[in-house]
Amino acid sequence: MSENRQAKADLEDWKTLDRFQVTEIYSACALGDRREGYNVADPYSAPSFFPQDLLLKTHDIVYLASQTSSGLIAMVANIRRYDLRDDAIDQQPFGIMYDPTDRNDQSSGLWLHHASHFGRTMPMPAPMRVALLSSSIPLKFPLGDDPPHRSGPLSELAGTSHEGAFEALIKRLT
């Protein structure tokens, strides 16, 4: 396998989801009657299949969802996690394309590791690093790419790293 193809394969981690797991991430997106939008949540409300070791390093999760004209729903959980080794806040998105009319008991989801979308990694503010090293409780410092509200339309995230994560995953899922 060529080096380029191997590097791409190392970035993608596919996961088979059962109907309950799909419902968990759909509920976390909190679309309600909207066709698209985002929702910011703390790591304690993450779907049960998200790795616990990842959630222990998580600042928050920005859920993004959009329904296509064909009825599919693209859902992305953009996890913002602490990377003390690199003094950074790194994004690790998970995505799924969901067909609400499909009665199949399984779907496929994708973890995207070390992606190259704009803003994937940002420097960790020094006070945040000090707080993380002196306690096991991650403090909720504001980050440079925080969404403007706890939830809203995807248009509020235009030009942000969250839009980049959403587009990078959707490109791979379709």
Side-chain angles (χ1 to χ4, degrees), residues 122-137:
M122 63 186 304
M124 183 180 301
M128 179 183 281
R129 180 173 175 70
V130 170
L132 285 169
L133 291 173
S134 64
S135 96
S136 61
I137 301 172

Side-chain angles (χ1 to χ4, degrees), residues 23-141:
T23 301
E24 278 188 290
I25 195 163
Y26 180 78
S27 296
C29 287
L31 276 182
D33 293 334
R34 299 175 297 160
R35 290 181 53 85
E36 58 86 27
Y38 72 89
N39 178 42
V40 181
D42 64 49
Y44 309 107
S45 61
S48 62
F49 63 91
F50 281 15
Q52 288 303 306
D53 60 331
L54 174 62
L55 294 175
L56 290 173
K57 301 181 282 187
T58 297
H59 181 76
D60 61 12
I61 304 171
V62 180
Y63 294 97
L64 305 94
S66 180
Q67 189 170 17
T68 67
S69 58
S70 65
L72 292 176
I73 300 173
M75 299 180 288
V76 172
N78 194 22
I79 295 174
R80 298 192 300 175
R81 64 177 176 81
Y82 307 114
D83 184 346
L84 290 172
R85 184 184 63 215
D86 290 336
D87 284 334
I89 306 294
D90 196 24
Q91 295 179 359
Q92 188 164 338
F94 176 81
I96 182 173
M97 294 292 280
Y98 168 60
D99 182 352
T101 64
D102 186 1
R103 298 297 169 217
N104 191 346
D105 286 338
Q106 293 185 332
S107 296
S108 293
L110 172 64
W111 285 104
L112 192 55
H113 304 281
H114 306 291
S116 59
H117 63 273
F118 170 78
R120 178 191 66 89
T121 300
M122 63 186 304
M124 183 180 301
M128 179 183 281
R129 180 173 175 70
V130 170
L132 285 169
L133 291 173
S134 64
S135 96
S136 61
I137 301 172
L139 299 177
K140 296 297 179 183
F141 285 86

